Amino acid sequence: MALEREIETYRHKLSELLANEGKYVVIRGEEVLGVRDNLDEALRLGYDTSTTEPFLARRISKTEPVLFSSRSLRPCPSSAEPSAPTGRPSSC
């Protein structure tokens, strides 16, 4: 998994970062490079200071957002298998 150190640093420093909740933090390794008002400014800071090393830019929040959740256990049909037209949109 990429950015393990940066994610751990974010979690470790979250209590301090919450003073800027809603803004964006930029982290490289174990170093907080800065906090910016929006994602574009955070990315600019990250690219300006980390030309060859990965960095994390993320919104400061006391809760972790759920980006995707699915309870569907049905396998999606393969595109190689013939499908019968049903008139319904695919659920996959």
Side-chain angles (χ1 to χ4, degrees):
M1 184 167 137
L3 301 174
E4 295 94 348
R5 284 182 28 204
E6 289 79 5
I7 293 168
E8 185 59 35
T9 299
Y10 172 81
R11 289 180 179 153
H12 179 72
K13 296 186 180 265
L14 182 58
S15 61
E16 301 166 36
L17 294 170
L18 283 175
N20 294 297
E21 188 170 11
K23 294 184 178 186
Y24 290 80
V25 63
V26 180
I27 299 172
R28 180 184 63 223
E30 297 173 1
E31 179 184 7
V32 174
L33 300 176
V35 174
R36 296 296 184 263
D37 289 331
N38 61 56
L39 182 58
D40 287 339
E41 291 175 9
L43 291 173
R44 187 174 305 117
L45 172 62
Y47 287 122
D48 286 348
T49 58
S50 301
T51 56
T52 60
E53 296 178 54
F55 64 89
L56 173 69
R58 74 170 285 175
R59 189 170 187 264
I60 301 168
S61 175
K62 61 182 137 196
T63 59
E64 292 276 339
V66 176
L67 301 177
F68 178 79
S69 177
S70 173
R71 294 188 54 102
S72 175
L73 300 176
R74 291 181 313 164
C76 283
S78 167
S79 60
E81 295 178 26
S83 60
T86 61
R88 292 178 286 167
S90 170
S91 61
C92 299

